[in-house]
Amino acid sequence: MTGQVAVVTGGSRGIGRAAAIGAAKLGYKVVVGYASNEAAAREVVSQIEASNGKAIAVKCDVGIEADIVNLFKAADGFGKLGALVNNAGVVDKTTRVDEMSAERLVRMMNINIVGSILCAREAVKRMSTKHGGPGGVIVNLSSVAATLGSPGLYVDYAASKGAIDTFTVGLAREVSDEGIRVNAIRPGLIDTDIHASGGEPGRAQKLAHTIPMKRVGTADEVANAVVWLMSDEASYVTGTIFDVSGGR
Ligand code: NAP
């Protein structure tokens, strides 16, 4: 992967941060996307550079198409695109469907689904052999919520991740003879800030006993699978949805 560029959306914290650092270890030059936490993104860049890797931080709210276009232009200025990690995603406060506003639903679907598909659009335009590109890899971040449905918590979030699963299978088949592999990871309960942003900072630890392995996962444990899918070791793997969930 030496010298190829990997774009990681939401690379400033959590799973994206770990994936960005892992991708750099694999030899990718990493574009660390972030929504607002510039300091966190710069810290990831510094950490990669301290290990002799190359990285830049680029502000990109994946809910805004112009930001996505700018993100990929910045990537073009950094080198030849070889990978996209569609990691940026949000939850919202836990609630029932009969309490959900249209505004909440539009925000959730716009960031989690539309943002991921638009990022993939930009990546395919650059990587597909049909467009003169060298091929590449896309890894989408889904969730086991897609299979559980998350009743009483955030059915909307679960549905957005169900869409990511379907999108992964469809895009993989669409570009499989154009040099691009597309896969998804479905993490289970992972110890990151996302639970606090859903209004429940202790959620993951509180539910640890419900997981067959009786513990939450770490961002690194998810990133290991992301990075494997980005590597040539996964050269015959496409259209696959891979659970990293401690058996959940
Ligand atoms: P996190 O700790 O909350 O980190 C979120 C990252 O995404 C941050 O880098 C944040 O940037 C960025 N981000 C947030 N909103 C964004 C937006 N609108 N546009 C671009 N970037 C945005 O999240 P995480 O737990 O690592 O989750 C990463 C992915 O894994 C998500 O797709 C999530 O749905 C999925 N997932 C997580 C879990 C879990 O238990 N943690 C389980 C299943 C699936 P700033 O730093 O600038 O805010």
Side-chain angles (χ1 to χ4, degrees):
M1 299 341 193
T2 308
Q4 290 181 29
V5 170
V7 168
V8 182
T9 63
S12 46
R13 291 183 293 117
I15 294 166
R17 176 184 188 278
I21 292 167
K25 284 189 188 140
L26 202 58
Y28 283 105
K29 293 158 69 171
V30 184
V31 178
V32 179
Y34 66 96
S36 58
N37 196 334
E38 185 178 353
R42 293 208 177 284
E43 187 275 329
V44 177
V45 170
S46 300
Q47 181 146 337
I48 289 172
E49 288 174 343
S51 306
N52 295 320
K54 290 195 167 60
I56 53 170
V58 180
K59 181 169 165 45
C60 171
D61 179 339
V62 300
I64 301 172
E65 184 178 10
D67 274 17
I68 292 173
V69 171
N70 283 338
L71 177 72
F72 282 86
K73 278 192 186 147
D76 291 340
F78 199 36
K80 198 88 182 153
L81 189 71
L84 163 66
V85 182
N86 250 333
N87 167 76
V90 291
V91 294
D92 211 321
K93 303 282 177 267
T94 56
T95 189
R96 288 167 45 97
V97 170
D98 50 17
E99 298 289 338
M100 287 177 189
S101 67
E103 189 188 1
R104 166 187 168 121
L105 296 176
V106 168
R107 171 183 172 268
M108 175 86 69
M109 304 306 161
N110 189 41
I111 293 172
N112 291 4
I113 307 174
V114 179
S116 294
I117 297 177
L118 289 177
C119 286
R121 177 191 74 188
E122 294 304 309
V124 169
K125 277 189 202 169
R126 287 160 174 83
M127 299 192 304
S128 167
T129 53
K130 182 171 171 263
H131 298 297
V137 188
I138 297 174
V139 182
N140 296 322
L141 266 295
S142 174
S143 169
V144 290
T147 62
L148 301 172
S150 305
L153 298 170
Y154 22 64
V155 168
D156 51 349
Y157 171 77
S160 78
K161 294 303 187 178
I164 291 300
D165 287 359
T166 306
F167 172 59
T168 299
V169 173
L171 182 63
R173 292 176 181 171
E174 193 164 291
V175 298
S176 55
D177 63 350
E178 298 171 22
I180 305 177
R181 294 185 298 102
V182 185
N183 294 288
I185 300 285
R186 278 197 295 232
L189 272 173
I190 310 301
D191 189 15
T192 71
D193 298 341
I194 203 169
H195 308 287
S197 62
E200 286 190 81
R203 177 170 181 268
Q205 299 297 345
K206 214 164 38 187
L207 293 176
H209 70 279
T210 66
I211 300 164
M213 283 180 72
K214 305 292 179 208
R215 67 171 179 87
V216 299
T218 66
D220 283 335
E221 287 176 308
V222 180
N224 288 341
V226 173
V227 170
W228 180 75
L229 286 170
M230 294 171 79
S231 77
D232 283 341
E233 291 190 12
S235 54
Y236 200 52
V237 182
T238 197
T240 294
I241 301 167
F242 188 177
D243 289 354
V244 181
S245 62
R248 191 163 182 241

